[in-house]
Amino acid sequence: MSNALLDIDPIDLQFPFELKKQISCSLYLANKTDDYVAFKVKTTNPKKYCVRPNTGVVLPRSSSEVLVTMQAQKEAPADMQCKDKFLLQCVVASPGVTTKDVTPEMFSKEAGHRVEETKLRVVYVDPPRPPSPVREGSEEGSSPRASVSDNGASDFTAAPRFSVDRLEPQENSTEARALITRLTEEKNSAIQLNNRLQQELEKLKRESKRSQSGGGIPFMYVLLVGLIGLILGYILKRT
């Protein structure tokens, strides 16, 4: 969905509802004009949701992401239906304006500003099933401070901001480390045996050269060479 200034995606904020867990949903704003566009996000339930950023500026022909987070809930709603709504207000701003320059007066229709407004619904969906269980603690922050709404949007209040904790990865399996250690030891033993056999072979070659003047190859030399070949073949199959 879009208005005269911004393309908005998605139009419905979908939250995979889970009890005692903070849930986030991203809102993407794309500026399709050559002007600086200031925006402000309001909600009908400011104690339940946090928004980062709740006000900002989208540069010409660029986009911004707004992260909307629902606080951890103790009870599931009836029939998984939610009546909460969000209101996105946007207005053309002066060139070079920054987020710090955004004020409530910029979104005042009484002051003669042309304010574009888009309402967003909240929809609960089934949470995805993870492949393995992950420990998650219950996080319930204190109720954020709400500001008074204006410009006829009497049901909406500016949404607050928040921060999110990240989960730590699990440790590697002990059995896997033990298997790697055993295979490494077997490989090292095979390499040492191969080196000893190579030394014996070089020794037999030197003795064979000294005995070549008598003619023929000693029977023991042929036998040892064949034995070494069999042992090397066995080692290669093991490794």
Side-chain angles (χ1 to χ4, degrees), residues 1-3 6-11 28 117-120:
M1 186 175 181
S2 62
N3 53 39
L6 299 176
D7 286 331
I8 306 167
D9 183 47
I11 190 60
Y28 298 96
E117 296 183 339
T118 303
K119 294 182 179 180
L120 308 173

Side-chain angles (χ1 to χ4, degrees), residues 109-142:
K109 295 180 180 179
E110 296 178 356
H113 298 294
R114 181 179 177 181
V115 182
E116 296 286 341
E117 296 183 339
T118 303
K119 294 182 179 180
L120 308 173
R121 297 188 310 160
V122 175
V123 179
Y124 293 150
V125 296
D126 293 332
R129 294 184 178 181
S132 60
V134 179
R135 293 183 303 169
E136 293 182 353
S138 174
E139 298 183 4
E140 298 185 18
S142 58

Side-chain angles (χ1 to χ4, degrees), residues 169-217:
Q170 296 179 339
E171 296 182 354
N172 294 331
S173 172
T174 303
E175 296 180 358
R177 293 199 299 268
L179 177 60
I180 293 174
T181 301
R182 182 171 60 83
L183 292 176
T184 303
E185 292 176 352
E186 291 183 359
K187 180 180 178 181
N188 292 335
S189 299
I191 292 174
Q192 293 176 1
L193 179 58
N194 181 43
N195 292 335
R196 289 198 299 268
L197 292 174
Q198 290 291 343
Q199 293 175 0
E200 292 295 332
L201 180 59
E202 293 296 332
K203 181 178 178 181
L204 289 174
K205 287 182 178 180
R206 291 194 297 269
E207 293 178 355
S208 174
K209 289 180 180 180
R210 290 196 296 268
S211 61
Q212 281 181 359
S213 57
I217 300 175

